[in-house]
Amino acid sequence: MSGLSQWGMLSSMVRSVAVLSDIHGVLPILDAVLAEPAVMEAELIVVTGDHASGPQPTQVLDRLASLGDRVLLVRGNADRELVSLARGESIGIPDDVTPWAAAQLSPDHIALLAELRHPVSVDVEGFGPVLFCHGTPRNDEEVVLVDSSLKRWSDVFNELPEDIQTVVCGHTHMPFIRLVDRRLVINPGSIGMPYGHLGGSWALLDKGSVALHRTIIDIDAAVAQVVAESTFPTRQEWADLFIRSAASDAEALTTFSARDGRPS
């Protein structure tokens, strides 16, 4: 994170960016995506939050840290929750895996997560300043969806500078690209907890164009690796639910739509 200014702006322009999100402590899928040629060739890898809250938290953070200055980590709501729990603060417990994951973190892991910023802006060739966030630019757990209303988008972009015409968000685990009143909005989907299809979803910003990608992996092998390498008590059930994408995109959209400001 040393290349960031005090305003969360990377200090120099980059040519290409691979965008990952919502790894949620799943190492085998992260490794498969990082091995993609286009990801390996990208000048910068940005991960838009929720890195470690899952069955392999320390392994994932160590893998990301090993990438050095090639990776830029944005804070997600789950990252913030992990830090609070690891420091003994009283917060609402979002699920079973988060307090377990927090207890696995070393002081270095906690310090890494505590230093993350939200949002972060990067000047990308062909795009200008691109804002990377988790939920929305103003809130790391706010929900916007591919079919959110223009009014909803206008509200969450209300304080965004005019020169930011590209916004990349995560949080909802479903990939999409859409225009919102001339702004390009991208969600790369999820690495570790995909909704709607199997494998790791990611995006590539290169030469002014955006492409959504999905890395197909051996799901049985990924589940087996997580079960073998994690000590989370209900890791088998967790992996069968999330890595196998038991929830469809339709189910996820129905659940999330209650949180994006639309009439009930």
Side-chain angles (χ1 to χ4, degrees), residues 30 32 52-53 68 127 156 166 192 219 253:
L30 172 62
S53 183
F127 294 90
V156 302
T166 304
I219 295 296
L253 282 168

Side-chain angles (χ1 to χ4, degrees), residues 26 28-29 198-199 216-229 235-236 239-245:
V26 177
I29 304 180
L198 300 172
I216 306 300
I217 64 166
D218 184 331
I219 295 296
D220 290 338
V223 169
Q225 181 179 338
V226 168
V227 171
E229 296 178 1
R235 57 194 179 277
Q236 182 72 62
D240 286 337
L241 177 61
F242 293 114
I243 298 177
R244 295 188 189 279
S245 191

Side-chain angles (χ1 to χ4, degrees), residues 138-157:
R138 66 185 183 182
N139 189 300
D140 63 19
E141 60 184 353
E142 194 170 34
V143 169
V144 281
L145 303 166
V146 65
D147 63 343
S148 290
S149 68
L150 285 174
K151 181 182 184 305
R152 172 66 168 177
W153 285 105
S154 178
D155 287 344
V156 302
F157 288 168

Side-chain angles (χ1 to χ4, degrees), residues 60-69 71 73 112:
V60 162
L61 289 177
D62 289 343
R63 181 72 174 96
L64 293 171
S66 75
L67 299 173
D69 289 341
V71 70
L73 305 181
L112 184 155

Side-chain angles (χ1 to χ4, degrees), residues 7 44 48 144 192 259 262:
W7 301 110
L44 181 68
T48 61
V144 281
R259 296 170 52 192
R262 71 187 67 191

Side-chain angles (χ1 to χ4, degrees), residues 24-216:
H24 280 284
V26 177
L27 183 63
I29 304 180
L30 172 62
D31 278 341
V33 172
L34 291 176
E36 290 277 12
V39 177
M40 294 178 68
E41 293 168 7
E43 184 175 356
L44 181 68
I45 299 169
V46 177
V47 191
T48 61
D50 285 10
H51 313 296
S53 183
Q56 295 174 288
T58 60
Q59 297 97 317
V60 162
L61 289 177
D62 289 343
R63 181 72 174 96
L64 293 171
S66 75
L67 299 173
D69 289 341
R70 280 200 65 227
V71 70
L72 173 59
L73 305 181
V74 180
R75 189 195 74 224
N77 63 294
D79 307 313
R80 176 170 46 77
E81 291 159 358
L82 282 178
V83 171
S84 294
L85 288 169
R87 289 176 170 173
E89 299 171 11
S90 179
I91 66 168
I93 305 298
D95 50 39
D96 292 338
V97 77
T98 299
W100 175 86
Q104 311 309 306
L105 302 180
S106 71
D108 285 346
H109 293 134
I110 298 166
L112 184 155
L113 292 176
E115 291 172 358
L116 300 185
R117 297 172 185 250
H118 181 278
V120 175
S121 189
V122 178
D123 203 4
V124 183
E125 187 174 312
F127 294 90
V130 177
L131 187 136
F132 295 90
C133 60
H134 186 63
T136 70
R138 66 185 183 182
N139 189 300
D140 63 19
E141 60 184 353
E142 194 170 34
V143 169
V144 281
L145 303 166
V146 65
D147 63 343
S148 290
S149 68
L150 285 174
K151 181 182 184 305
R152 172 66 168 177
W153 285 105
S154 178
D155 287 344
V156 302
F157 288 168
N158 183 49
E159 297 180 4
L160 210 56
E162 280 296 321
D163 66 330
I164 293 180
Q165 291 297 302
T166 304
V167 177
V168 183
C169 54
H171 191 43
T172 57
H173 300 205
M174 292 170 283
F176 68 79
I177 302 173
R178 67 164 288 181
L179 281 173
V180 177
D181 193 16
R182 301 181 185 271
R183 275 196 175 100
L184 184 64
V185 182
I186 305 149
N187 190 317
S190 174
I191 298 295
M193 294 174 63
Y195 297 144
H197 61 198
L198 300 172
S201 295
W202 51 283
L204 183 68
L205 282 63
D206 185 39
K207 300 181 179 69
S209 297
V210 181
L212 295 177
H213 295 267
R214 180 160 59 109
T215 298
I216 306 300

